[in-house]
Amino acid sequence: MTLQQFEYIVALDEYRHYVSAAEHCYVSQPNLTMQVKKLEEEIGVRIFDRDKKPLQPTKIGKEIILRARQILRETKQLKEFVTHEKESLEGEFTVGIIPTLAPYLLPQFLPSFIEENPKVHLKIRELQTSQIISQLENGIIDIGILVTPLDESSIREIPVFYEPFLLYLPEKHRFLEEKLMLADDLDPSEVLVLDEGHCFREQALSICRDAKHGSSIGFEYQSGSIEALKSLVQKGVGYTLVPELSVSEGKDGLHVRRFTAPEPVREVSIVVHNSYIKDSVINRLKSSIQQSVPKQLLKKQSIVGFDWK
């Protein structure tokens, strides 16, 4: 049995389709099929049930694939260890970042990071928190950038900065008369939030969970985009909470108000699997991000103990 065969059965398990798995592995479909059958013949069991549509692993096949993933992960770790020992910063790394961070954080640090690290190639994917955790555990991505804490025993968290939540209001709203806002003054029935699956939704709801109930705005609107929520608020419908990096001083300055101290913030971290040893990449990425964001976001003491769960 070979590592290449392990890569083929892992890809086949992920895509459940011979052609798609072959394309992922950059081999022909007949070659992949032949190698999988060869592996099955060598170990004397069927890894996949070809009678089911879509393709399904057998009961013992699931265990074999799980062990193959572990072997591939350990092999990758060995290669990373060698690179790390040489003290070189080069290679390709897959990074998952949550959608409520990507459009605001990436433009801040990515251009300078690329320029300063020409031998590093980042493959960046927008993923939700649950997807990042799953793909870190399965070795599909190398690094995640998201909001912590996660309370996942298999994941290592490296806090990078602490981003305040701001209240985003329509023009002439009564709250704009206040210099600072109290979370208790918010009316949950007027707050527009992101849709299910976004951790930012739960964070926003957590801030106003104990607020007094007022009149409804007449409908419930949930979006997958912070910019969509801001546009709706600009038209005079409800209000919302936004992360500080999403606010442009010129465009959004007349719509925002800060909360009283201590401000509600979200902890943004780099996360990796516990087995990941490429600290040189983590440290360089952390340094680049911290140099790009406003310095006040680096102060840990501004964080509030909200329960994000």
Side-chain angles (χ1 to χ4, degrees), residues 25-37:
C25 296
Y26 302 103
V27 296
S28 66
Q29 183 266 321
N31 184 32
L32 182 140
T33 302
M34 180 186 68
Q35 289 297 325
V36 172
K37 287 183 177 179

Side-chain angles (χ1 to χ4, degrees), residues 120-253:
V120 173
H121 179 70
L122 299 181
K123 295 175 63 177
I124 300 173
R125 301 177 182 177
E126 276 196 33
L127 302 167
Q128 293 188 6
T129 297
S130 60
Q131 294 174 306
I132 291 177
I133 294 172
S134 175
Q135 293 193 21
L136 284 173
E137 292 177 337
N138 289 322
I140 299 173
I141 65 174
D142 302 297
I143 298 169
I145 303 177
L146 43 65
V147 173
T148 53
L150 299 176
D151 296 324
E152 294 284 340
S153 60
S154 63
I155 302 298
R156 176 158 60 106
E157 303 173 4
I158 303 96
V160 181
F161 64 91
Y162 305 88
E163 184 179 22
F165 290 87
L166 305 180
L167 185 61
Y168 198 88
L169 300 156
E171 292 183 15
K172 299 181 181 179
H173 194 281
R174 65 186 186 280
F175 286 163
L176 289 174
E177 298 176 2
E178 305 292 334
K179 290 185 178 181
L180 296 172
M181 289 299 305
L182 291 170
D184 287 345
D185 291 335
L186 302 184
D187 184 344
S189 68
E190 294 186 38
V191 177
L192 306 182
V193 295
L194 296 181
D195 57 18
E196 298 286 353
H198 292 270
C199 62
F200 189 84
R201 165 190 169 87
E202 303 306 321
Q203 296 155 9
L205 291 176
S206 177
I207 293 173
C208 62
R209 64 186 173 188
D210 296 324
K212 296 172 289 186
H213 289 268
S215 60
S216 172
I217 58 176
F219 69 96
E220 179 179 344
Y221 178 75
Q222 295 182 5
S223 169
S225 163
I226 289 176
E227 294 306 310
L229 297 181
K230 287 166 62 177
S231 296
L232 197 58
V233 170
Q234 289 168 10
K235 297 298 182 181
V237 181
Y239 48 82
T240 190
L241 290 104
V242 297
E244 183 167 329
L245 291 181
S246 72
V247 172
S248 167
E249 184 174 348
K251 180 181 177 182
D252 300 315

Side-chain angles (χ1 to χ4, degrees), residues 1-2 4-14 16 18 32-52 54-69:
M1 60 185 72
T2 66
Q4 188 177 63
Q5 290 172 333
F6 289 162
E7 291 174 353
Y8 291 167
I9 64 172
V10 166
L12 199 52
D13 178 57
E14 183 175 351
R16 304 296 172 91
Y18 279 97
L32 182 140
T33 302
M34 180 186 68
Q35 289 297 325
V36 172
K37 287 183 177 179
K38 187 175 179 181
L39 177 60
E40 289 177 328
E41 290 171 359
E42 181 177 352
I43 61 181
V45 296
R46 293 181 66 184
I47 300 174
F48 293 95
D49 187 346
R50 295 165 179 80
D51 297 326
K52 294 184 177 180
L55 190 70
Q56 296 288 333
T58 61
K59 183 177 180 180
I60 193 172
K62 292 180 181 179
E63 181 65 23
I64 293 171
I65 293 167
L66 182 64
R67 292 171 183 259
R69 287 186 184 276

